[in-house]
Amino acid sequence: MRVYVPLTLPGLAQAHRTGTIGTGPLTAYAVTPGLREWYVSDDIEELEYAALSRAAAASLRLLAADPDAARRRVVVAVDVPDGDATADPDRGLDPSSVGEVRVAGPVPLAKAAAVHADADDAEPDVTAAADVLGAADMGDDDAQFVVDGAEDHELLWYGVQEVPGLIG
């Protein structure tokens, strides 16, 4: 199963140093039954993109909680055995957790298929979005507009061998 793990650049640097993503359990995003129902598509590429987008939104939340992190969203795509990632069926259609899965333990960075990250030119919009995320969560339409502006930036694809250049 392909899962998308939200990180920050410092989190990616830590994974590069230790060789593992997190210590477990990890929150990640994947094509779950809840995501399929929410997104209403049978196209696996569209569903994978939706899971990646959910992870990018979670990465923005990590940035909002870490004011010292570089303002670039980071998502690592990792293939894990199907039994290693589980979705909570009780939260499957909760809008805040669509596509969310738990990965039981740390994931070797060597198992990553790719890293997705914002380009440098996204930093101003991502910074602004992280700054107003709390207000957007409280229903502020202007703040939500700013968050949506960050989501308009497509994450770039990087091979795992390019991680040193990303964190450098």
Side-chain angles (χ1 to χ4, degrees), residues 85-157:
T86 57
D88 183 346
D90 294 332
R91 290 183 40 127
L93 291 178
D94 176 351
S96 68
S97 65
V98 170
E100 188 178 285
V101 295
R102 290 292 220 192
V103 179
V107 176
L109 185 59
K111 296 282 186 186
V115 176
H116 302 270
D118 279 311
D120 292 338
D121 68 349
E123 285 188 41
D125 290 336
V126 172
T127 299
D131 290 345
V132 300
L133 190 58
D137 287 345
M138 299 299 291
D140 183 317
D141 290 338
D142 291 335
Q144 186 61 53
F145 182 78
V146 173
V147 170
D148 292 344
E151 291 173 358
D152 287 343
H153 290 276
E154 296 286 332
L155 297 181
L156 302 179
W157 183 96

Side-chain angles (χ1 to χ4, degrees), residues 27-52:
T27 298
Y29 294 82
V31 177
T32 63
L35 182 92
R36 285 179 186 275
E37 191 171 330
W38 173 74
Y39 197 75
V40 192
S41 175
D42 290 330
D43 184 321
I44 192 63
E45 287 183 18
E46 287 181 13
L47 292 166
E48 293 276 346
Y49 183 78
L52 171 64

Side-chain angles (χ1 to χ4, degrees), residues 13-90:
Q14 168 107 9
H16 182 40
R17 275 192 307 279
T18 64
T20 60
I21 302 169
T23 58
L26 298 173
T27 298
Y29 294 82
V31 177
T32 63
L35 182 92
R36 285 179 186 275
E37 191 171 330
W38 173 74
Y39 197 75
V40 192
S41 175
D42 290 330
D43 184 321
I44 192 63
E45 287 183 18
E46 287 181 13
L47 292 166
E48 293 276 346
Y49 183 78
L52 171 64
S53 297
R54 301 292 292 176
S59 176
L60 181 63
R61 292 195 173 285
L62 294 173
L63 291 173
D66 184 358
D68 295 329
R71 301 330 234 181
R72 292 173 66 191
R73 298 167 298 163
V74 176
V75 175
V76 180
V78 185
D79 293 318
V80 299
D82 288 346
D84 287 2
T86 57
D88 183 346
D90 294 332

